[in-house]
Structure formats: structure tokens, C-alpha cells
Amino acid sequence: MKTSTRVCVIGGGVVGCSVLYHLTKLGWSDVMLVERSELTSGSTWHAAGGFHTLNGDTNMAALQGYTIRLYRELEALTGMSCGLHHVGGVTLADTPERFDMLKAERAKHRFMGLETEILSPQEIKAIAPITNVEGVLGGLYDPLDGHLDPSGTTHAYAKAARMGGATIETHCMVHETRQRPDGTWDVVTDKGTIHAEHVVNAGGLWAREVGAMAGVYLPLHPMEHQYLVTDDLPEIYERAVEHPHVMDPGGESYLRQEGRGLCIGFYEQPCKPWAVGGTPWSFGHELLPDDYDKIEDSIAFAYRRYPILERAGVKTVIHGPFTFAPDGNPLVGPVPGLRNYWSACGVMAGFSQGGGVGLTLAQWMVEGEPERDVFAMDVARFGRWITPGYTLPKVVENYQNRFSVTYPNEELPAARPFRTTPMYEIFDQMGAVWGSQYGLEVPNYFAQGDEPRYETPSFRRSNAFEATAREVHAVRGAVGINEVQNFGKYSVTGADARAWLNRIMAGRIPKPGRISLTPMLAPSGRLIGDFTVACLSETEFRLTASYSAQDFHMRWFEGQLAGEVQIANISDRSTGFQIAGPRARDLLAKVTRADVSDDVFRFLDVKRLSIGMMEATVQRVSYTGDLGYEIYVDAMEQRALWQLLWEAGQEFGLKPFGMRAMMSLRLDKFFGSWMREFSPDYMPGETGMDRFIQWEKAFIGKEAAEKERAEGHARKLCSFIVEADDADVIAYEPIWLDGAVQGFCTSGGYSHYAGKSVAFGFVPTDRAVDGLEVEIEILGNMHKARLVTDMLFDADGARMRG
């Protein structure tokens, strides 16, 4: 056995073998994989082997498309068969809400170049004749859907990796992973110790245990999953072509042809987590005992949807564990807080996503970053606050919702409330309708009177519409107050703090007492952050950014540290409120003895002020686009600050507002949002963020950003007024121009201040002129839209700045 290697991949399932192959494909040949038993010994061997492109996240869908196209390449490269069956598949919709979701997905596919289509019930019956379409409104057909041989595919990945120089060591049990002071690793096995520069945890069912060896908790949990294979059915084996896949969300099932019969699996409500105390090392090629009781209702529904099943005998029952993360997506990438330790775990849909996961991780390791935004599966999307007690109920919830409608405004209830601020009880008593962000309870809006304390999930305008309008008008007409807990906040100190910030931030680093807005770029020039930088002194700075990107950003900061610099995540230690609206200055003046007049406390100033009994850091800036201030204090003082502001604000008409109003208010000023308008998919020039870049200095990503600046960009982020009805743009709706899809939306919503539906999106740069007429496809319907450049509120900035 090799005793040293550049990369040691732990785990010989389809994901581990895919990572190994892609590392060799990108030029790293000194790589090896260790597997405690035989290849495919975890979940891989008993997987149903289905694959599809449908995914709510467009980048995940693109990676799934890559995975599916890769199989022919593997077969050609290795001469081995993956057992491919490209039979196509249809997802059924039996409610208007499900049909809305499928139409929204079809719209996304247009600009992605995927050839899916909406089918009528009669068209579904024509391609899948065993389906009872009674009550079905329509379906989404994807010609790329299909299934394969799990074992053959995994061994094809393994052969391709070996052809690229990789080594695979089976029957090699890992006992320890120990990091050396230089960041390399000793992987201790029952065959000896391997010294590796990098370790990849592709442990599958054992990923928790493998992670624990390095002191890492990975939020995933195995769930029991069951599918059945029927005896031969003449309606199946007498067909001239193979029967397509049918996904029936209403029945929580997926169905496909298996040989001369059918295979049907279920995501049942009375589901069961497996190995709560840890996965036994002795588990391998075993199956779990049959459990018909938990799928009894699902089977009854399947009999109605596919009557042929009532007379079909059961030939085989496959009941085994699969691993899920709390949101159902994989856990991929460099693990925050560790050097050279990588995750490739929680890949529940291994044969839809395994190739994309392998490509992404290999790009990250070899090239320093993946080629697209992969935050949806980045291991850093779950913070270090996450616990097994939180993970388990969220995994159960995700399993139960596997085939449910995913609404853009839906707030799932499991494991909540968990993380709360000192304001939770006060806001709850005021009628807060809660959302969850990065595990934190955040008010979405405040219900009044007999208004329900629950927002109806919908693709259309919800029952939060009137309450949101009320809060928007309170801000624009007087003054509103909103918690600033859900901002990511960082303290940067030290003699080299300014020099370090100048290197990692592309924009201007402000002078003492001032604030600046700046993008942060990857070496590729793509956006990896949208920051507010406040200079408290020459050796002390505060950074503000997205709350949900904390581990994502801290991982980058820690990897770039140099010189005399200290950085601390103070997101949950520094909190407070923003006040915004035309009376915001009056309110601030009432609670401090300091002079806060416009000529003393200017727009983009930061000051330390005595407010009541508290020493606060106050920034004159507001994401509402109005006159506003962000007031930060120690978390222990937040309730005292609230009491002071609330009592003092009554004479000015102070009202609380939540995130729904915030996201409406930002539309008036065409403010972009992180992971919507700004993300690692985009360059600064095409999004307009280049206006904040300080080009004369050296910074990470400068060469790529300058290249974009010199060559120009093919597309440009623009704002549109949409002739909408009861549904607004959410994200990824196609933009039609000259009868073809030539752009897509990044986000949108309803401006309650202007009374208009607003959308942001990319169109060709040479067409991006004021007044451009386009059409935007929303839920399958075309809506006229017009490109606008004049802001809907405070276009000259007089109120925000003066």
C-alpha cells in the first residue's frame, strides 16, 4: 500500500470514486482512495439508480445535467457499461400549486437550455399509459431522466481514475485522521499510516464517524428508504419502448421500469431515521427488514395512480439507509476551521449529482474555486452552531417533503424556534410572523388584529401582502424599526488591518469615521462578497455582510490571513436595530446628547455614540434606501436599547417592520441582494458592482476584473417594471426579447411604495437601454416589462443622503 499521497479519499461509493476520477481528470495523478470493504459497500449498491435534472437550484440542476452527460463519456473512456437507460420522465401535478411549481421550473429550464416541456393529462397518458390521470392537471417531461446500473457506474468511475494514475485500496479500514503542524494529514489505517496533503471525507453512511476523527461535526443523518420491484407485467414487457419514469409528488412515489416489471419507491410520511447513535462499522452489504406498515398509505395511493400494481406480485423489496443533510443537498467543499480537509458527503441523489459533486470538489482543490456558484451544496452553508439535535428533525422533515411543493416564501417548522435573540418574546407578543435564516428566528412581518400568524405558502402574492404594505408605508411615511441581528458582522483589528483589507476587498477602504461599500472577489474575479466596511480607527474595522454566509466568509478570511491582523465573527455578539424613514434623525436625536444633524453626522459616517445607558456604534446607512441609521450594541444591551427607542419613537409614529417589507423597500432603489443579484456566478462589471472598485490598488481578483473591464461584458444587470397580475418575479424567470429567451431574472417583487411589480435581471449589454420592451415569463404566462433606469424612490438621493 502507498504510504504517501497528495490526496486520500476516504470512502469507495459512487461519490468517492467520482471525486477520485475528477482529480485525475484535472491533472492530479498522485491520489488514492481507501475503502473499508469493497467498492459500493454503503448506500451505493442498493440504490435505485435513477437520475434526473429537476432541482430547484439552477446550478444544482446544471451539475445534475453534467452528471448525466458524463456517463457516455465514462463508457467511451473505460469500455465499461454504466447500464444507461435514457427513458425520459414526467413529474405529475395534481393540484394548482404543484402545477405552478412545474411551470416555474419549466421557465427556469428555458434559459438553462434544458429541453423540458409541460404535458397535458392526455399527453401523459400517451407516454405513460399505466398512469391513471384522473385529477392530474398536467406534468413536466424531461427527456434526460433515466436510470443506470449503480455498481457498473461506480466501477467505471474507479477504472477511469486508475487510468489517470489513481490508486484504490480496498479492505483498508481508517482508524484515525491526525493533522500535522504543517497542515498535512496522517490517515491511520489497519494496513499502515498514509501521509496525505489533503483528506476527502466521502464516507457516506459513515461520514459522521469519519468526520469525528478530525473533530468535525457534519450535519447529516441516514434515513430508512424502501422501494419494491414487481414480478413481470405484460403491459410492461410487451411495450415496444421502455416505460418512462413517473414521479408522483401527490403519492410521494417514483416509478420506473425494472426489467420486465416495475420499480416503485416511496418518501412516506411515517418515515424512520436510522442509526441515530452512529452507523455501525460492521454494516455493509446488508438490507434492513421489510417494513410494509410505514408505506401502507403510500401503496394504497399508488394502487389508485397505477391500477396495474394491484395485481402485480412483489419480487424484491429493497430497504436500506441513505444519508441526508437538513435541506437535502450535499455537503461539499473545504470544511471551515480545518486546513486541507474536504467534504463530499450527504449526496442522497448520488447518480443524479455524483458527477457534479466530483467535478466541483476537484475544481476547488486543483484550481482553487469551482467554476460556478455552488453555495447550495457548500458545507459552509450550515454554521458551527448546528447540532445533531437540530439535524435529526430537519432531516426527517426534508425526507417527508422530498416530493412536496417548494414555495419561495415557505417557512418549514421542524426544529424551531432554536436560535433567538433577546427580542424574540417581545416581537412575538407584537404579532411577529417568523422566518428562519441560518437557524435564527427573524420577523418576516407583524400581523395585527385577527390577521393570521402564518403566511400561506404560495408562488403568488400571499396573505402577507397587506401587512407588508402597511410596514412599507410606515417606513416611507414616518419611521420604522428593524432588528439588525441577521447581518453577518466581523471585527478586523491589528496594525496591518488596513493593508489586509485593501488586499482582500476590491473597493476603497474608508478613513476613520467613514463607511464604504465594496465587493470582495475570488481570484477568478467573480463576486464572493458584498460588504459594508466601517473604519473605527486605523487599527479597528467592522465588516457587515450576509448573515447566512458567515462560515463561507470566515473560511475565506482565515485562509487569507497575513501580517498582524486578527479577525473575529461577532455576528451574534453585536446586535441592535436600524431605524429608517423621514423621522429617523428626530428619533436618534431624542435618545442621544450628541449632535446628529446632517452636517455633523453625514451619510456613510460611523460614530460611537452614548445612547441612553449604552455605548453604541452607529452607522448612517440603511438598506431601505431611506434616511436611516444602524445602531449596534452588545447583545446583553439589546432589550434596553429597544425599550429606549420604542418609548422615544412613539411621538414620531415608530412602527416595527420585518424582512418582507425590507425586501420590498430595496426594490424602490434598485438595491441588489446577496445570492440574488450578487453571487459567485457573476462578475463585478456585469452587475454594476465595478463602480465600487478602487482600480489603482492591488487586490485579489484584479487581473480578472480588469480583463472584464477591458473586454466588456455580454450581459448587464437591469431593472424592470412588470405588468404583473397576482404573481411577481421570484428568480430565474426567462426574459424574452425578439421572440427568444435572451436573459433571465435574478429576483423581484412588489414595490408597495410605488405600487409596481419590479424585477431585476440580465439582458444583452447592447440592448440594455432605458425603455427596452421585453416579456418575462411568470408561471407559464408572458408579461410585458419595461427596462427602467430612474429609481422609484428618492431618485436623486436627497432623502437618503441629506
Side-chain angles (χ1 to χ4, degrees):
M1 183 186 75
K2 288 177 62 175
T3 58
S4 66
T5 185
R6 190 170 196 174
V7 181
C8 180
V9 179
I10 302 173
V14 64
V15 175
C17 291
S18 172
V19 170
L20 195 71
Y21 161 64
H22 281 93
L23 286 170
T24 64
K25 187 177 181 180
L26 295 187
W28 283 15
S29 58
D30 181 19
V31 295
M32 69 182 298
L33 180 149
V34 294
E35 161 58 41
R36 53 180 274 283
S37 182
E38 298 284 353
L39 298 182
T40 79
S41 291
S43 299
T44 298
W45 77 272
H46 60 74
F51 53 79
H52 57 87
T53 60
L54 187 63
N55 192 294
D57 183 275
T58 54
N59 281 315
M60 290 296 295
L63 287 171
Q64 289 175 197
Y66 166 80
T67 301
I68 294 167
R69 292 189 295 271
L70 177 64
Y71 293 133
R72 294 293 186 198
E73 179 183 322
L74 277 178
E75 289 184 328
L77 178 65
T78 65
M80 297 178 67
S81 172
C82 293
L84 289 176
H85 297 257
H86 277 288
V87 297
V90 61
T91 302
L92 308 179
D94 58 357
T95 66
E97 293 77 16
R98 293 190 201 281
F99 205 26
D100 275 350
M101 184 181 79
L102 296 185
K103 288 185 287 187
E105 290 303 308
R106 171 64 188 109
K108 292 179 187 178
H109 294 163
R110 288 192 197 279
F111 83 83
M112 294 174 64
L114 295 175
E115 299 300 324
T116 59
E117 59 181 305
I118 296 292
L119 301 184
S120 68
Q122 294 72 30
E123 290 171 320
I124 294 170
K125 189 71 174 176
I127 65 168
I130 67 170
T131 307
N132 174 12
V133 296
E134 182 180 351
V136 172
L137 303 180
L140 179 68
Y141 178 74
D142 186 347
L144 286 180
D145 275 16
H147 58 276
L148 46 64
D149 169 24
S151 179
T153 300
T154 304
H155 283 278
Y157 274 124
K159 182 176 179 180
R162 287 189 179 104
M163 292 169 65
T167 300
I168 296 175
E169 193 75 29
T170 59
H171 298 283
C172 183
M173 178 79 174
V174 174
H175 294 295
E176 293 181 69
T177 56
R178 298 193 300 251
Q179 191 161 40
R180 295 185 181 185
D182 64 357
T184 62
W185 291 83
D186 287 327
V187 180
V188 182
T189 79
D190 56 2
K191 291 185 175 181
T193 297
I194 303 162
H195 179 220
E197 182 180 347
H198 300 271
V199 169
V200 176
N201 181 346
L205 291 173
W206 296 269
R208 293 174 296 173
E209 287 70 29
V210 173
M213 294 178 186
V216 172
Y217 171 65
L218 294 169
L220 45 81
H221 199 92
M223 295 290 294
E224 298 182 5
H225 182 68
Q226 195 164 212
Y227 65 91
L228 316 176
V229 179
T230 73
D231 288 331
D232 296 356
L233 294 164
E235 293 90 340
I236 297 301
Y237 65 72
E238 290 178 357
R239 283 173 54 89
V241 294
E242 191 170 353
H243 196 279
H245 288 201
V246 183
M247 278 64 69
D248 181 18
E252 303 161 345
S253 72
Y254 57 88
L255 175 141
R256 66 169 176 82
Q257 183 170 337
E258 174 67 21
R260 292 161 59 92
L262 292 169
C263 165
I264 184 167
F266 305 99
Y267 285 90
E268 68 285 353
Q269 292 301 301
C271 57
K272 295 181 181 179
W274 182 76
V276 174
T279 303
W281 290 109
S282 58
F283 188 81
H285 281 271
E286 303 90 342
L287 288 173
L288 306 178
D290 299 349
D291 188 350
Y292 287 102
D293 290 343
K294 70 174 182 174
I295 59 173
E296 182 179 3
D297 291 342
S298 299
I299 290 176
F301 195 104
Y303 283 169
R304 295 192 296 273
R305 180 69 73 213
Y306 314 105
I308 189 177
L309 293 175
E310 287 196 84
R311 57 180 177 78
V314 175
K315 179 163 58 177
T316 308
V317 178
I318 304 295
H319 190 202
F322 288 88
T323 303
F324 294 75
D327 60 2
N329 278 343
L331 301 172
V332 180
V335 174
L338 287 180
R339 291 173 60 192
N340 299 342
Y341 192 93
W342 306 79
S343 175
C345 309
V347 190
M348 181 278 303
F351 294 97
S352 292
Q353 300 173 340
V357 166
L359 173 68
T360 296
L361 194 65
Q363 288 176 337
W364 222 327
M365 298 176 73
V366 176
E367 299 169 0
E369 57 180 304
E371 65 181 321
R372 65 179 73 242
D373 171 23
V374 293
F375 189 75
M377 65 177 180
D378 191 335
V379 66
R381 73 187 183 275
F382 296 110
R384 303 178 202 190
W385 51 268
I386 201 165
T387 66
Y390 176 90
T391 298
L392 180 56
K394 295 304 287 186
V395 165
V396 170
E397 179 183 63
N398 178 265
Y399 185 99
Q400 292 172 326
N401 285 279
R402 178 72 182 159
F403 280 158
S404 297
V405 179
T406 302
Y407 297 99
N409 66 330
E410 187 171 21
E411 297 287 351
L412 297 173
R416 295 178 57 198
F418 179 35
R419 304 179 72 233
T420 61
T421 75
M423 290 302 299
Y424 182 80
E425 289 77 13
I426 293 174
F427 282 157
D428 200 54
Q429 291 170 9
M430 296 178 75
V433 178
W434 295 98
S436 179
Q437 184 179 356
Y438 202 60
L440 176 72
E441 294 297 315
V442 177
N444 280 338
Y445 64 95
F446 292 83
Q448 292 184 0
D450 60 356
E451 292 175 344
R453 296 286 297 276
Y454 175 73
E455 182 179 3
T456 304
S458 178
F459 289 95
R460 303 172 189 273
R461 293 171 188 164
S462 76
N463 62 325
F465 191 78
E466 295 302 326
T468 302
R470 182 171 63 235
E471 294 173 17
V472 165
H473 293 308
V475 173
R476 292 284 187 247
V479 59
I481 186 168
N482 174 272
E483 202 170 16
V484 291
Q485 171 70 22
N486 59 323
F487 291 166
K489 298 173 284 287
Y490 311 90
S491 171
V492 181
T493 57
D496 297 323
R498 177 177 291 277
W500 182 73
L501 285 170
N502 262 318
R503 185 173 66 85
I504 68 164
M505 298 293 177
R508 179 181 54 83
I509 304 305
K511 296 178 180 179
R514 293 291 286 167
I515 297 168
S516 68
L517 307 178
T518 173
M520 185 168 70
L521 309 182
S524 63
R526 291 181 292 148
L527 297 166
I528 56 172
D530 170 23
F531 282 83
T532 299
V533 180
C535 180
L536 303 178
S537 75
E538 280 297 339
T539 58
E540 183 179 3
F541 296 82
R542 293 286 180 89
L543 313 181
T544 308
S546 167
Y547 188 77
S548 60
Q550 289 175 55
D551 260 24
F552 174 81
H553 283 145
M554 281 298 294
R555 180 177 63 196
W556 178 252
F557 293 151
E558 291 168 350
Q560 298 298 323
L561 278 180
E564 190 179 327
V565 180
Q566 298 80 43
I567 185 160
N569 183 352
I570 59 171
S571 300
D572 296 328
R573 303 197 327 248
S574 176
T575 187
F577 305 94
Q578 70 164 314
I579 54 174
R583 305 303 303 274
R585 182 184 291 113
D586 298 330
L587 173 54
L588 181 60
K590 187 174 180 180
V591 297
T592 181
R593 292 189 298 274
D595 184 354
V596 295
S597 59
D598 184 55
D599 57 341
V600 174
F601 200 170
R602 302 164 297 164
F603 178 62
L604 296 183
D605 270 356
V606 57
K607 293 183 180 292
R608 296 188 191 272
L609 299 181
S610 293
I611 297 180
M613 295 182 290
M614 290 141 286
E615 294 300 312
T617 299
V618 184
Q619 301 182 170
R620 189 175 156 191
V621 66
S622 173
Y623 192 53
T624 65
D626 216 313
L627 170 64
Y629 305 86
E630 294 173 355
I631 307 171
Y632 296 94
V633 295
D634 186 277
M636 295 290 285
E637 300 168 352
Q638 187 186 22
R639 287 181 67 146
L641 177 62
W642 164 263
Q643 195 67 33
L644 179 69
L645 292 171
W646 184 247
E647 291 178 1
Q650 294 312 297
E651 69 171 281
F652 308 115
L654 183 66
K655 301 292 183 185
F657 67 101
M659 289 306 297
R660 295 285 184 263
M662 177 85 85
M663 296 308 283
S664 175
L665 289 159
R666 62 125 186 167
L667 299 175
D668 303 337
K669 297 283 284 187
F670 303 157
F671 286 170
S673 177
W674 181 245
M675 295 308 291
R676 298 186 185 196
E677 285 65 54
F678 314 129
S679 86
D681 273 335
Y682 309 134
M683 296 288 288
E686 61 188 353
T687 59
M689 288 295 280
D690 57 337
R691 69 189 185 276
F692 297 115
I693 291 179
Q694 189 175 21
W695 293 102
E696 62 271 20
K697 72 172 187 176
F699 56 87
I700 295 172
K702 181 177 180 177
E703 182 178 352
E706 283 187 325
K707 181 180 179 182
E708 183 203 26
R709 187 188 189 193
E711 297 178 353
H713 36 270
R715 61 189 182 184
K716 182 179 180 180
L717 182 66
C718 301
S719 305
F720 299 87
I721 300 299
V722 187
E723 295 181 14
D725 39 43
D726 65 340
D728 302 297
V729 159
I730 298 165
Y732 301 113
E733 292 84 353
I735 298 176
W736 292 76
L737 182 59
D738 300 334
V741 175
Q742 297 195 49
F744 64 94
C745 295
T746 53
S747 74
Y750 190 79
S751 164
H752 290 278
Y753 169 78
K756 299 179 185 295
S757 184
V758 179
F760 302 138
F762 286 100
V763 293
T765 301
D766 60 358
R767 303 295 300 277
V769 296
D770 191 66
L772 175 71
E773 300 284 346
V774 301
E775 288 187 301
I776 297 178
E777 183 179 352
I778 303 175
L779 300 179
N781 298 316
M782 295 296 190
H783 294 266
K784 292 181 179 179
R786 178 173 51 88
L787 192 154
V788 292
T789 54
D790 288 337
M791 295 176 184
L792 306 182
F793 166 76
D794 192 33
D796 61 359
R799 193 146 111 185
M800 181 176 70
R801 297 173 182 273

